[in-house]
Amino acid sequence: MMTDKVRIDSLGANSLNGNNETYLARQAEFESNVRSYPRKLPLAIAKANGVWITDVENNQYLDCLAGAGTLALGHNHPDVLQSIQNVITSGLPLHTLDLTTPLKDQFSEYLLSLLPQQGKAYCLQFTGPSGADAVEAAMKLAKKVTGRSGIISFSGGYHGMTHATLAVTGNLSPKEAVNGMMPEVQFMPYPHQYRCPLGIGGDAGVKALTYYFENLINDVESGVRKPAAVILEAVQGEGGVNPAPAEWLQRIRKVTQEHGILLILDEVQAGFCRTGKQFAFEHAGIEPDIIVMSKAVGGGLPLAVLGIRKEFDAWAPGHHTGTFRGNQLAMATGLTTLKILKEQDIAGKVAAQGEWLKGKLADMQKRYPVIGHVRGLGLMIGIEIVKPNEAQDHMGCYPADGELSALLQKKCFEAGLILERGGRNGCVLRLLPSLLITNDELGIFLDKFEQALLAAGVKPA
């Protein structure tokens, strides 16, 4: 029998009667230097509900990070908590490897129904519980199907931090001093609404990037062997919230089909209503060969799944395994979350809120020119911070200001608002709140964000 003392200690909030500083110091003593969020968001969490977090000093924060998009319904949604209780009291095992259960059967059927064509052309693969492992599996499968070894990825893309997924991730910083990465990875430029990588911008820039991709695949003198797969995000998250133009995605789908190249869509962060549609690729009306799903699919608990077109299910039994691919609690919380998102038309709500919020931020941009660009889809929004007192480039873009972005993140935190940063040099402030956030709570976000601008010394125009 667990004693009261042990029960309190296991919760942590009252065991030390300490403040945030005490817990952070102990964390620094216990944990590796690899920890990142505590350096930007210095708090110890005592409890959380919906979009609100309370620290051990009883300070409240509006959480617009939501586990980097994992908590689609926010913290401790009552139906999600009840689904956990139901599993615990049902007698179901918590761990099943890849053995099935009635719960797994229900979850699989419902998840498949959300895929293109109600999932009729797809089957599911449960991988290890991280998005990175699912990406690893997708790339391995593409190589197995095609007999080829190359992968095309895109600048600004983020697909994980394991050895192979880091090889297809754009950010150079974590690659420092990591040698022997997966070979035959070819990076190509990804469209950017504000900073066109070809220096052209607008529709002309998108057309040029589309032609560039198609020409690389068709050109027998390109120097790049035909790849096994193309992997991309329909909205780049860590790369600065960059939505792909629909015509660009449509052309990539057409070219990959014509050449027998598998198209892998990484929907780990953008999937499940985050962008105002079930999946971000739906904005372009395309159907991928492999869909990578994690974060929200587990309803807040670790789970990762691939949706694979059946004709490409070339695995032999046991050729990609993982001990924790049978997480019953995650399937319960995931099923509950997916049902709420679908049955309450959360995608429609999110699409409307996203347009409203981008409009409000555009109005704020007129008053605060340090806001260089506002972009995104649904409740996946990026605010690029710039230096408006310096010279514009030939496309009319001001230099990025990563230092001010970092200061604004700090001032937001001090105002009780949790935001993440991303993009080149961390110049983009990113919103990934619970998809159940209310309009009133979005209004609180706007008020706190403006407070942070003023606290950072930004003067209205």
Side-chain angles (χ1 to χ4, degrees), residues 320-394:
H320 190 93
T321 63
T323 301
F324 295 104
R325 64 196 188 279
N327 187 340
Q328 296 299 292
L329 284 179
M331 291 177 196
T333 54
L335 179 60
T336 296
T337 297
L338 298 182
K339 283 185 173 181
I340 289 172
L341 293 175
K342 179 71 179 296
E343 293 169 4
Q344 297 184 15
D345 187 25
I346 299 303
K349 165 194 174 292
V350 164
Q353 284 182 311
E355 290 306 303
W356 176 83
L357 186 56
K358 283 191 293 183
K360 291 294 185 182
L361 288 168
D363 290 340
M364 194 178 293
Q365 181 180 11
K366 296 171 186 175
R367 303 196 304 276
Y368 299 95
V370 296
I371 300 175
H373 194 237
V374 177
R375 56 180 177 265
L377 292 170
L379 289 175
M380 189 174 183
I381 293 177
I383 306 166
E384 183 156 339
I385 305 301
V386 300
K387 300 175 181 178
N389 296 324
E390 296 189 11
Q392 295 172 302
D393 64 18
H394 70 282

Side-chain angles (χ1 to χ4, degrees), residues 194-195 361-375 382-390 397-409 426-429 449-450 452-461:
Y194 188 57
R195 300 185 188 278
L361 288 168
D363 290 340
M364 194 178 293
Q365 181 180 11
K366 296 171 186 175
R367 303 196 304 276
Y368 299 95
V370 296
I371 300 175
H373 194 237
V374 177
R375 56 180 177 265
I383 306 166
E384 183 156 339
I385 305 301
V386 300
K387 300 175 181 178
N389 296 324
E390 296 189 11
C397 301
Y398 290 108
D401 196 340
E403 290 185 7
L404 179 56
S405 175
L407 178 60
L408 284 170
Q409 184 185 41
C427 68
V428 180
L429 294 167
F449 184 58
E450 188 160 12
L453 286 164
L454 295 171
V458 178
K459 296 179 180 177

